[in-house]
Amino acid sequence: MVDQENSAGNNGAMSEGGDFYAASGDQKAVLKLLVANSVAGSIIGKGGSTISEFQQSSQARIQLSRAGEYFPATKERIAVISGTLHAVLTAVHLVLGKVREETVGSGVEDDTEDDDVLQVKLCIPIRLCGAIIGKGGGTVRAFMDDCKADIRIQGQESLLPGVSERLVTVKGTTSQIMRAFGLILSKLSEDPKYDEYAEQPLSPGSRYRSGSSHLSNMNQLVAPLAQSNSMLVLDVSNTDAGAVLGRRGRNIAEITQVSGARVKVSERDDVNPETGCRKVTITGSLESVNLAMCMVCQKVGVSDNGGGRHNN
């Protein structure tokens, strides 16, 4: 059976390059991956048959966010795999098999030229990323030398308001990615705070469905309203308008690129004579407008609940 072959391959990969897996295999672990919608469906299988088989084979728990519920600023669903370190890595190996099947079968390009090379994104709590990066980036460089995979950690400047995790992109062959995941999980487990993360009740997308941030409701709106046109107009002071624009337009370019919305700031001489405020006009899909609004509010340091009027 394919699953038995995958499990055997996983055990081989886990023993490769060192025995730290065996030493820490019973430790609690959790790994959060981003997967395309097609991959999520393949993991679930008809009537949930595949995910049940994966959980039984690995003894890990596998949870997936609902259709249309994506990690902020992406079109990817969230897969949470939890259990012992050994169980989690076994489940990940099975999941990577589905990632490969869907990537190759769909013919979709994913920035890789080799069919044997995959690209997978992890979500890591911001407060734990320092352990992976290391002093001066020394730890992540050592990881890449060890596993031969490429590991890229999302820069702090691109973090979104209300998001408590950073994306870690790992690119390589299946065995290289497995080795990278093992190194990352092993390192995270050294941090006392990791136990809290590994043991807390997990709902793949709940972190972005509750709370006061506008990101809270964004993912619920993506599926039904992603294509609907929306416009938001914010009144901001001249100083705040400068913060939105940034030096040489750097901030507004970042907001536009990340959100996908069109953002326009009125000219210096186009101000409200009564308030002296300039207008920030945001247009695009409801998803992109809401995301851009959050980023604008972060730049000017104001609440995302005030100062705007929203038109569909």
Side-chain angles (χ1 to χ4, degrees):
M1 291 178 63
V2 173
D3 292 328
Q4 291 175 341
E5 290 174 358
N6 282 344
S7 296
N10 183 50
N11 290 335
M14 285 195 291
S15 62
E16 188 177 309
D19 60 356
F20 75 89
Y21 292 113
S24 57
D26 291 332
Q27 175 151 353
K28 291 182 180 179
V30 61
L31 201 62
K32 185 179 287 190
L33 309 174
L34 298 191
V35 296
N37 204 51
S38 59
V39 175
S42 183
I43 293 170
I44 295 170
K46 188 174 182 179
S49 59
T50 303
I51 195 171
S52 296
E53 186 176 349
F54 281 6
Q55 290 186 120
Q56 184 175 3
S57 298
S58 66
Q59 295 302 302
R61 185 181 184 191
I62 305 173
Q63 299 169 277
L64 284 159
S65 62
R66 294 175 295 186
E69 186 177 81
Y70 306 123
F71 188 85
T74 77
K75 293 293 185 181
E76 295 171 292
R77 290 167 67 176
I78 306 165
V80 179
I81 305 174
S82 56
T84 65
L85 178 59
H86 178 84
V88 167
L89 289 173
T90 301
V92 167
H93 195 274
L94 296 173
V95 167
L96 289 180
K98 291 299 181 184
V99 173
R100 176 180 298 284
E101 286 178 14
E102 292 298 324
T103 301
V104 175
S106 65
V108 174
E109 296 183 4
D110 62 348
D111 299 327
T112 62
E113 298 178 355
D114 191 338
D115 286 344
D116 291 332
V117 174
L118 300 175
Q119 181 171 288
V120 186
K121 295 177 184 176
L122 303 179
C123 306
I124 304 293
I126 292 174
R127 68 179 188 273
L128 298 179
C129 278
I132 300 173
I133 297 170
K135 188 175 181 180
T139 301
V140 71
R141 284 197 297 270
F143 284 179
M144 288 191 285
D145 288 342
D146 183 316
C147 68
K148 309 305 179 186
D150 184 58
I151 303 174
R152 303 286 177 178
I153 300 174
Q154 181 184 16
Q156 291 186 345
E157 69 282 355
S158 62
L159 296 178
L160 300 177
V163 179
S164 59
E165 293 156 313
R166 292 170 73 172
L167 294 180
V168 177
T169 303
V170 183
K171 181 178 175 181
T173 64
T174 299
S175 61
Q176 290 170 346
I177 292 174
M178 289 299 302
R179 177 66 181 174
F181 285 1
L183 291 166
I184 289 170
L185 285 174
S186 180
K187 189 64 178 179
L188 290 177
S189 68
E190 297 175 4
D191 192 311
K193 296 178 182 178
Y194 180 73
D195 287 341
E196 302 172 14
Y197 179 67
E199 294 176 3
Q200 66 181 331
L202 291 170
S203 177
S206 62
R207 188 165 302 171
Y208 307 108
R209 293 200 305 271
S210 60
S212 59
S213 170
H214 238 294
L215 285 171
S216 313
N217 299 318
M218 186 185 305
N219 291 321
Q220 295 180 15
L221 299 169
V222 168
L225 296 172
Q227 301 302 319
S228 59
N229 293 324
S230 186
M231 180 175 72
L232 176 70
V233 181
L234 297 169
D235 293 325
V236 300
S237 69
N238 194 55
T239 300
D240 287 342
V244 174
L245 290 167
R247 189 174 183 181
R248 297 181 180 177
R250 183 177 301 172
N251 289 351
I252 196 169
E254 176 192 5
I255 294 169
T256 300
Q257 182 178 6
V258 172
S259 69
R262 183 184 179 191
V263 183
K264 182 179 180 181
V265 178
S266 63
E267 299 296 332
R268 288 176 180 270
D269 55 358
D270 184 11
V271 299
N272 185 317
E274 296 180 358
T275 64
C277 288
R278 293 165 67 179
K279 297 185 184 302
V280 177
T281 304
I282 308 171
T283 55
S285 68
L286 185 58
E287 174 199 8
S288 63
V289 168
N290 281 335
L291 177 54
M293 182 187 65
C294 289
M295 297 182 72
V296 167
C297 291
Q298 183 187 41
K299 297 297 183 187
V300 302
V302 299
S303 168
D304 60 8
N305 292 320
R309 54 181 184 274
H310 211 151
N311 302 314
N312 286 331

